[in-house]
Amino acid sequence: MYATIGYIVPEYFKWPGYLSPSLGLSFEDVPNGLAAISKVPGQGWSQIVAFAGYYELFVYKYNGTPGDYGWKAITSSDPEALNKKLSAEIANGRLAMMAIIGMFFQDGLTGSAWGDWSLYTDSPLRSTGKFSPGYNTLPEWEKPKNGFEGLVGDQPPLGFWDPAGYARDGNVENFKRRREVELKHGRVAMFATIGYIVPEYFKFDGDLSPSSGLKFADVPNGLKALGVVPVAGWAQILAFAGFIETVVNKPTGEPGNYGKGFLSLGTLGLGSSIQDPEVRVKKLASEISNGRLAMFAIIGMFFQDGLTGSAWGDWALYTGSPLRAFENELGVQAPVGFFDPFGMTKDGDVETFKRRRATELKNGRVAMLAAMGYITPEYFRFPGNCATGLKFADIPNGLAALGKVPGAGWTQIFLFLGMVEKSLYTHDPTRAPGDFKNGGVLGVPNGSTMLEGEGRTKKLNSELANGRLAMMAITGMWFQDGLTGSAWGDWALYTDSPLRAFENELGVQAPVGFWDPVGFTADGDVEAFKRRRATELKHGRISMLACMGYMTPEIIGKFPGYLSPSAGLKYADIPNGLGAISKVPWEGWFQMVFYCLFVEYKSGFGKDWKEGTPGDLGWKMLTASNPEKKQRKLQAEIANSRLAMTAIMAMFFQNGTVGTTGPEMWIGKAPVPGSAWAFENELGVQAPVGYFDPLGMSSDGCVETFKRRRESELKNGRVAMFAAMGYITPEYFRWPGFLSPSANLKFADVPNGLAALSKVPFLGWAQILVFCGGVDFGLYRADPSRDPGDYENAGILGVPNASGPMSDAEGRKKKLNSELANGRLAMVAILGMMFQNGTVGTTGPAMWGF
């Protein structure tokens, strides 16, 4: 543990002065890591050995308990606490042993304590080689200079991925055999994955086994089918697979290439090997990628099917889940419920769960303070000195501050944290995780106490949720700070970004600019970018047609006559939406697939992105001969198609949920007691959206929760209306005189918009917070007997005694509905104003683009 810390600390701090004055060796001259071994003089090693021996022989004497040498800061006089601390120390020590071995290994191979693996030039994965005889028969190819890197399957984002080191011996025959096995497994997995999906929508008519009276319709989907197929069927499957393996597929020297063409259709004279080397390599690479994905997919399907008993398993059926032991604990909240993707709680150990929950709360609390610590110095800093000669104003915000805090400062921080951890907030097994005797809300000593009940649970759940959000936030802040060199990093400073290769391409439009959250373009590959852009355009065009196909039959109607005369199927008999999938006959699906292939063939199988502009297939209705108009139309098409892709997915989801594409699809099902329809007659249910709850916040039908959210909505709306007016009014009128006489700050000196945040003095913020707190907790207190937002001391718009109660019930409802609508509009408006103000840096006409 000390060694691991010793690897990390010198990267940020080294002692001043000399390690050995007689040799003129300063601490600064000692490198970090293994290289330090050669720098420490002989006398230094003698001192280290003598010190270690002294402690081993005289200080740390064995007293019967391993590791307990009487230093009670590490152990404890309480046997239970002692055992717990020693167990924690052992666990941490094991982790540290793994960590230091990894550091030694990395340091030794790369020559650096924080080794760059690109320096490891002796990697067997980089082994040199000249040729790989017979590896590719169409045509022969050279083996790349770095072993197997560059062969089919070496693709982004992982490149040549061999974590187990199977290829490190450089044996070509072994590599070819493993590649062939991978291809076979991938091909079988692709068929298996399709075989899981297809029976949900289509099964053959008739008998699978006439002698057994077994119909195709009687065979269940998924793993259950294994118990239904008769022995003779298994024999046929094995015989067929064996025949293909031993007779039909003869090796040709290249893994997976049996000279039969696509899907072995060459056996029937319907296909042949691909002669174009570039096209061939691309298709083989796609096959390997799809096969790898399919292997993951089918394993996941088996796993889900086996645990839930259903091919498309409902996890609610998995009653044996150890996660259910904690499903009613704090932190189990919508939308993810009990979230444990790494299976930390699968052993059902309550003590371990409590320890991890306490750790989560501590990390969350620290992260909330850290996130605020990133934000606050942008607007306020303490006056005076942090240390002798070091002013608070001189300490930069963010990661750069680590280099400014002196050693004594770090010592104070660690001592303070240790005191809080070991003295003030001591663990009590009789209390809930994170609940300390000396701690109130958010751990502030005696700040307040929370009585047992629903309110306490709600606040603790909120703290957990906020802490989780803060942990994500502070990590994102560090990441942005590290890449851009600024706590509120301007990404324009990130000059090494590979995204800059495509920032002027089609589709780079406001408001998100170049948007690639998954990093598909991180490799800067222009060909790959063009191929993906062409794919995006195709998907978008199909989605636009699909969206129209959802709407048209509901509005215009359906074609007269028959879709399939032979099957007696009329257009009128085909339902709209997902229900149509089960009505279209097999021949119809074949025609659709054939038509799509024909269109793809006529467009040259990617000729547009290979030789010109992605998506430009020569149809000038969509593009144009004028370059500027063509650019504008393609930009509009991309934007519309992205919207359409989102829309059609939402239509599928909504159609699948409510089971119709008619009006019910947009307004929901008929009322069900206890559902969101319990609130369809509440205030705020207005045209054009009616009852709008896209996230299902009120799906539990809880009236108290609905009232609390409605009250929050009204408060936020009222504040937003004032804020929106506060953005507009100062452009035309400001108060005369001083805002703060003591600070010599006039109202006229305070800029409008976000820039005002930096002008208001600290005491001003304190007054604002105290005033808001007084209004919220004193003047406008919630009364369960009154409607949300209706306070005893308040009239219209919350102004105390501005008017009496409104006797006209209809007029009252109309005014309250208007307030809600205006408040919602104001919340959208103020967010837009702040976003636009932050983007253009002004609240004047330039804010609106003039």
CSV table of all heavy atoms in Angstrom, one decimal, residues 445-464:
chain,number,residue,atom,x,y,z
A,445,PRO,N,-22.8,18.5,11.1
A,445,PRO,CA,-23.1,18.2,12.5
A,445,PRO,C,-24.2,19.0,13.1
A,445,PRO,O,-24.2,20.2,13.1
A,445,PRO,CB,-21.7,18.5,13.1
A,445,PRO,CG,-20.7,18.4,12.0
A,445,PRO,CD,-21.5,18.9,10.8
A,446,ASN,N,-25.2,18.3,13.7
A,446,ASN,CA,-26.3,18.9,14.3
A,446,ASN,C,-27.0,19.9,13.5
A,446,ASN,O,-27.7,20.8,14.0
A,446,ASN,CB,-25.8,19.5,15.7
A,446,ASN,CG,-25.2,18.5,16.5
A,446,ASN,OD1,-25.7,17.4,16.7
A,446,ASN,ND2,-24.0,18.8,17.1
A,447,GLY,N,-26.9,19.8,12.2
A,447,GLY,CA,-27.5,20.8,11.3
A,447,GLY,C,-29.0,20.7,11.4
A,447,GLY,O,-29.8,21.6,11.4
A,448,SER,N,-29.5,19.5,11.4
A,448,SER,CA,-30.9,19.2,11.6
A,448,SER,C,-31.1,17.7,11.8
A,448,SER,O,-30.1,16.9,11.6
A,448,SER,CB,-31.7,19.6,10.4
A,448,SER,OG,-31.4,18.8,9.3
A,449,THR,N,-32.2,17.3,12.3
A,449,THR,CA,-32.5,15.9,12.4
A,449,THR,C,-33.7,15.6,11.6
A,449,THR,O,-34.6,16.4,11.5
A,449,THR,CB,-32.7,15.5,13.9
A,449,THR,OG1,-33.7,16.3,14.4
A,449,THR,CG2,-31.4,15.7,14.7
A,450,MET,N,-33.8,14.3,11.1
A,450,MET,CA,-34.9,13.9,10.3
A,450,MET,C,-35.7,12.8,11.0
A,450,MET,O,-35.1,11.8,11.4
A,450,MET,CB,-34.5,13.4,8.9
A,450,MET,CG,-33.9,14.5,8.0
A,450,MET,SD,-33.4,13.8,6.4
A,450,MET,CE,-31.8,13.1,6.8
A,451,LEU,N,-37.0,13.1,11.3
A,451,LEU,CA,-37.8,12.1,11.9
A,451,LEU,C,-38.0,10.9,11.0
A,451,LEU,O,-38.1,11.0,9.8
A,451,LEU,CB,-39.1,12.7,12.3
A,451,LEU,CG,-39.1,13.8,13.3
A,451,LEU,CD1,-40.5,14.4,13.6
A,451,LEU,CD2,-38.5,13.4,14.7
A,452,GLU,N,-38.2,9.7,11.6
A,452,GLU,CA,-38.5,8.5,10.8
A,452,GLU,C,-39.7,8.7,10.0
A,452,GLU,O,-40.7,9.4,10.4
A,452,GLU,CB,-38.6,7.3,11.7
A,452,GLU,CG,-37.3,6.9,12.4
A,452,GLU,CD,-36.4,6.2,11.4
A,452,GLU,OE1,-36.8,5.8,10.4
A,452,GLU,OE2,-35.2,6.1,11.8
A,453,GLY,N,-39.8,8.2,8.8
A,453,GLY,CA,-41.0,8.2,8.0
A,453,GLY,C,-40.7,8.5,6.5
A,453,GLY,O,-39.6,8.4,6.1
A,454,GLU,N,-41.8,8.7,5.8
A,454,GLU,CA,-41.7,8.9,4.4
A,454,GLU,C,-40.9,10.1,4.0
A,454,GLU,O,-40.1,10.0,3.0
A,454,GLU,CB,-43.1,9.1,3.8
A,454,GLU,CG,-43.2,9.1,2.3
A,454,GLU,CD,-44.6,9.3,1.7
A,454,GLU,OE1,-45.5,9.2,2.5
A,454,GLU,OE2,-44.7,9.5,0.5
A,455,GLY,N,-41.0,11.2,4.7
A,455,GLY,CA,-40.2,12.4,4.4
A,455,GLY,C,-38.7,12.1,4.5
A,455,GLY,O,-37.9,12.6,3.7
A,456,ARG,N,-38.3,11.4,5.5
A,456,ARG,CA,-36.9,11.0,5.7
A,456,ARG,C,-36.4,10.2,4.6
A,456,ARG,O,-35.3,10.4,4.0
A,456,ARG,CB,-36.7,10.3,7.1
A,456,ARG,CG,-35.3,10.0,7.4
A,456,ARG,CD,-35.2,9.3,8.8
A,456,ARG,NE,-33.8,9.0,9.1
A,456,ARG,CZ,-33.2,7.9,8.8
A,456,ARG,NH1,-33.9,7.0,8.0
A,456,ARG,NH2,-32.0,7.6,9.1
A,457,THR,N,-37.2,9.1,4.2
A,457,THR,CA,-36.8,8.3,3.1
A,457,THR,C,-36.6,9.0,1.8
A,457,THR,O,-35.7,8.8,1.0
A,457,THR,CB,-37.8,7.1,2.9
A,457,THR,OG1,-37.9,6.4,4.1
A,457,THR,CG2,-37.5,6.2,1.8
A,458,LYS,N,-37.5,10.0,1.6
A,458,LYS,CA,-37.5,10.8,0.4
A,458,LYS,C,-36.2,11.6,0.3
A,458,LYS,O,-35.6,11.7,-0.7
A,458,LYS,CB,-38.8,11.6,0.3
A,458,LYS,CG,-39.0,12.4,-1.0
A,458,LYS,CD,-40.2,13.2,-1.0
A,458,LYS,CE,-41.5,12.4,-0.8
A,458,LYS,NZ,-42.7,13.2,-0.8
A,459,LYS,N,-35.9,12.2,1.5
A,459,LYS,CA,-34.7,13.1,1.5
A,459,LYS,C,-33.4,12.3,1.3
A,459,LYS,O,-32.5,12.7,0.6
A,459,LYS,CB,-34.6,13.9,2.8
A,459,LYS,CG,-35.6,15.0,2.8
A,459,LYS,CD,-35.4,15.9,4.1
A,459,LYS,CE,-36.4,17.0,4.1
A,459,LYS,NZ,-36.2,17.9,5.3
A,460,LEU,N,-33.4,11.1,1.9
A,460,LEU,CA,-32.2,10.3,1.8
A,460,LEU,C,-32.1,9.7,0.3
A,460,LEU,O,-31.0,9.6,-0.2
A,460,LEU,CB,-32.2,9.1,2.8
A,460,LEU,CG,-32.0,9.5,4.2
A,460,LEU,CD1,-32.2,8.3,5.1
A,460,LEU,CD2,-30.6,10.1,4.4
A,461,ASN,N,-33.2,9.4,-0.3
A,461,ASN,CA,-33.2,9.0,-1.7
A,461,ASN,C,-32.7,10.1,-2.6
A,461,ASN,O,-32.0,9.9,-3.5
A,461,ASN,CB,-34.6,8.5,-2.1
A,461,ASN,CG,-34.8,7.0,-1.9
A,461,ASN,OD1,-33.9,6.2,-1.9
A,461,ASN,ND2,-36.0,6.6,-1.6
A,462,SER,N,-33.2,11.3,-2.3
A,462,SER,CA,-32.7,12.5,-3.0
A,462,SER,C,-31.2,12.7,-2.9
A,462,SER,O,-30.5,13.0,-3.9
A,462,SER,CB,-33.5,13.7,-2.6
A,462,SER,OG,-34.9,13.6,-2.8
A,463,GLU,N,-30.7,12.5,-1.7
A,463,GLU,CA,-29.3,12.7,-1.5
A,463,GLU,C,-28.5,11.7,-2.3
A,463,GLU,O,-27.5,12.0,-2.9
A,463,GLU,CB,-28.9,12.5,0.0
A,463,GLU,CG,-27.5,12.8,0.3
A,463,GLU,CD,-27.0,12.4,1.7
A,463,GLU,OE1,-27.7,11.6,2.3
A,463,GLU,OE2,-26.0,13.0,2.1
A,464,LEU,N,-29.0,10.4,-2.3
A,464,LEU,CA,-28.3,9.4,-3.1
A,464,LEU,C,-28.3,9.7,-4.6
A,464,LEU,O,-27.3,9.6,-5.3
A,464,LEU,CB,-29.0,8.0,-2.9
A,464,LEU,CG,-28.4,7.1,-1.8
A,464,LEU,CD1,-29.3,5.9,-1.5
A,464,LEU,CD2,-27.0,6.7,-2.1
